[in-house]
Amino acid sequence: MHKFLPYIFFLVIISVQGQAPKKLNSAEIDQALKKLNFLGSVLYIAAHPDDENTRLISYFSNEVNARTGYLSITRGDGGQNLIGSELKELLGVIRTQELLAARRIDGGEQRFTRAIDFGYTKTPEESMEIWDKEVVLGDVVWAIRTFKPDVIINRFNHRTSGETHGQHTASALLSVEAFNLANNKDAYPEQLNYTKTFSPTRLYFNTSPWFYGSQDEFDKADKSNFIQFDTGVYFPWNGLSNPEIAALSRSQHRSQGFGSSGSRGSQIEYVELIDGKVPEIKGDIFAGIDTSWNRLKDGAAIGKVLKEVQENYNFRDPSESLPKLIEAYKLINNLEDGYWKNIKKLEIKDIILACSGLYIEALSNVSYSTPNQSIDVKFEAINRSAVPVELSSVSVLPDSPSLESNKVLLNNENWNEKLSYTIPKDAIYTSPYWLNNNSNLGTYVVEDPKMIGLSETPRVTKAIFNLKFYDETISFEKELVYKTTDPVKGEVYQPFEIVPPVVTSFSDKVLIYTNGEPKKIDLIVTANQKDAKGKVSLKAPDTWKIEPKETSFDIKNNAGTATLSFIVTPPKEQSEADLIPEISFEGKVYSNEIIKLDYEHIPLQTLVLPAKSKLVKLDIKKKGELVGYIDGAGDVIPESLEQIGYKVVKINPDDINAASLAKFDAIVLGIRAYNMVDILKFKQTELLKYVENGGTLISQYNTNRGLVLDNLAPYKLELSRDRVTEEDAEVEFLDPQHPVLNTPNKITPKDFENWVQERGLYFSDSWAPEFTPIFSMHDKNEANSNGSLLIAKYGKGHYIYTGLSFFRQFPDAVPGAFRLFANLISIGK
Ligand SMILES: [Zn+2]
């Protein structure tokens, strides 16, 4: 299916996609020249976006000038989202992009494995079991064989299981094992169809006082195997200290709220040798590894030319370096095929472009298109140097005719040309490749083995500029981009996307039935090309009745939509099913929707995902009608409660007063409201007064650090980091007669079936006797935790704290979670 993907893709430095192009200034060119002359590489390994030590990555990339990569075992899909409501795989896409944004700042490259971050675990064993260790270990081996790092550095300690997130320790264990396997031709032999075995020289652990529990213990530790570096260096070429760059990089992890401030001055980092050759020279992780051009056969001559370039580099006129750079380019091009040849060829091409002040760009006239449709591509080329450069030809890959130009680009004279290009009829969509198939429990499914680990789907539609410098023609690739001018933001770049001709979305992601009444659901069909005509039907198990069986659409305009209504009638008994659209269009069936993730710090993400709506027939009773909701960090409580028949009103925190709240049957606080909403510290008295007067206040989880107030509840209630991460952990009913377990819905162990990701988090571990704990639960080999749901009478009303993860269960329409939540709301009625 990915037939246009040439072998080179997984060796190249993934370029900035859909972002404004990077234009090197003359100090940055000088820096790039230093990097060109360093032939050594480092791969940093950890488990998640944000685990990476950006100080060290920036130090190796910008001070040592090594090729520096970060292999994050997962894409961080299992975490919480501080900037929006996306969770799971959508959050994984955001965090992937945040890592790429971070790498654009610190100069590193980004890799992954297929492992899914399935949520918090306490042991590496559980991680390995869910991930399917053999698969993920293979991916780490693959990363080593393709990235070919001289040195690997682990973020975590492989010897201290249980002291941190289980996935952390697992990342280190995988690295330790893969370190030796990568060179074993009997390990994962199928990979050797595409790459070779490889043996990194050394493996280190990026240790620190944190891993010793205290500075004192760390001071006492045997450091004979340690290397330390001062990473607090200053870079005059960009006016920043290394820790300042590291902080800018780390601050890209916005979905995790990891904004950080840079520092200046000395900052020591330590690495401890774990495996590999003991360095002959103390203090140098590359000791004994030739990191000059001499490490390549026929490399010495290149090193000689490039040393001259570096020594004679003229900051006022970088184009003076061009003759020697072209000479070096020819020598690199004549090297035997291999790893460093590919890397260095790309690097020197960027430098040649920058030194000649060449700007080349290929713009699409539309932001997206579909297979077999035509687009206009507008080319721009301009040379800003006295060196004459000939533009021999331009074309678009794959398959376009080449536009012969043979035009000499004179200093500062613009060249523009247009070409009509037809997207190949079997072009793959540009959506994230790891979401193209249903995933396994712990790993994504990737059909093309060469794609494994890539941070993004490689764009196959790209422009080729063939430029002649003196007598040498060099090909430059540019991804197609789309550009607009925004009155506020100015020039806005966007990736050019290839999407299906027709996509759909449901008006409701979940339809919950509390009785036998039929419900209407709308399907919105969007055409991504002109004149789209076709038929639509919805599929669900036979017990669900869908009318009409089939309907049709006729959409004239590109981006036009048609809204088609269906009536869905539930079966009598409790039931769950997926409702899937099938659109027949030009002989093919489509059932995708497009989801866009639009955040300022990352390029616009366009995802093509299976469209579906979840149908649930619920055996549920409820009391009360009107629920007030106060926003926290973002959850789907309001729409979920409306699905089961409540009327939900969002309360502006500024307007909170006991009198205005009196009308609500219950008030629900969004997750982490007491961490997020400052003004609640002034409103807590009113909220508690509302409870005293007979109301029900349901506080979902908050983290114990960074609370905006001390009196979370009317009585003593302390939060802990206790969590139950096993979503199927047995739940014991501590007080089976308690109303919350009996009215209006009789709660049974069945209500705890099919929960997703976890039971809950940030449980209380200490509370006043006024509270009644309802449940007891624990992860394997752990003590019971009884603070997941605590209920206290206060005045005439009820105060409820719950760390149960309703925010994860509702999007998946887990029936028991709804039944229990209805009981919470109904408790005072
Ligand atoms: Zn982590």
Side-chain angles (χ1 to χ4, degrees), residues 423-618:
I423 310 286
K425 63 177 188 305
D426 49 1
I428 60 167
Y429 305 139
T430 45
S431 180
Y433 69 91
W434 61 96
L435 301 179
N436 285 348
N437 297 289
N438 286 330
S439 64
N440 296 323
L441 179 63
T443 50
Y444 288 115
V445 174
V446 178
E447 279 171 16
D448 182 345
K450 298 191 293 303
M451 297 266 241
I452 290 169
L454 292 184
S455 50
E456 296 182 279
T457 305
R459 306 276 157 157
V460 289
T461 315
K462 52 178 78 185
I464 305 290
F465 291 78
N466 289 313
L467 293 161
K468 198 164 159 192
F469 298 80
Y470 312 110
D471 58 344
E472 182 70 9
T473 303
I474 306 178
S475 278
F476 293 87
E477 285 186 356
K478 281 296 211 181
E479 284 169 5
L480 285 197
V481 288
Y482 176 71
K483 198 163 80 169
T484 50
T485 307
D486 180 274
V488 177
K489 296 178 191 160
E491 191 173 57
V492 177
Y493 277 84
Q494 218 174 291
F496 169 71
E497 312 284 358
I498 299 173
V499 297
V502 280
V503 293
T504 67
S505 67
F506 281 110
S507 53
D508 300 277
K509 284 284 181 196
V510 176
L511 273 191
I512 296 176
Y513 293 82
T514 54
N515 55 41
E517 291 291 305
K519 284 193 177 188
K520 181 173 95 108
I521 189 164
D522 286 340
L523 184 75
I524 298 108
V525 178
T526 304
N528 292 321
Q529 58 189 57
K530 279 197 287 190
D531 295 321
K533 249 189 246 188
K535 292 196 160 52
V536 183
S537 59
L538 299 185
K539 301 287 172 229
D542 288 346
T543 49
W544 292 80
K545 207 173 117 219
I546 299 163
E547 289 291 338
K549 292 265 174 288
E550 190 180 78
T551 178
S552 58
F553 63 92
D554 182 355
I555 303 170
K556 294 274 175 289
N557 299 322
N558 188 349
T561 60
T563 300
L564 310 171
S565 298
F566 294 83
I567 303 293
V568 182
T569 312
K572 285 203 174 63
E573 62 283 6
Q574 185 153 311
S575 165
E576 292 173 62
D578 283 338
L579 186 64
I580 313 264
E582 286 189 355
I583 306 181
S584 306
F585 174 68
E586 294 185 343
K588 282 190 183 169
V589 175
Y590 297 88
S591 48
N592 290 315
E593 68 176 324
I594 284 183
I595 292 180
K596 294 197 180 199
L597 306 178
D598 192 3
Y599 289 99
E600 215 175 333
H601 63 310
I602 59 174
L604 177 69
Q605 296 297 297
T606 303
L607 281 54
V608 176
L609 297 175
K612 66 175 181 191
S613 181
K614 188 160 181 187
L615 303 174
V616 179
K617 170 70 194 304
L618 206 55

Side-chain angles (χ1 to χ4, degrees), residues 47-51 156 165 168:
H48 308 115
D50 87 345
D51 287 345
F156 295 104
H165 194 319
H168 289 164

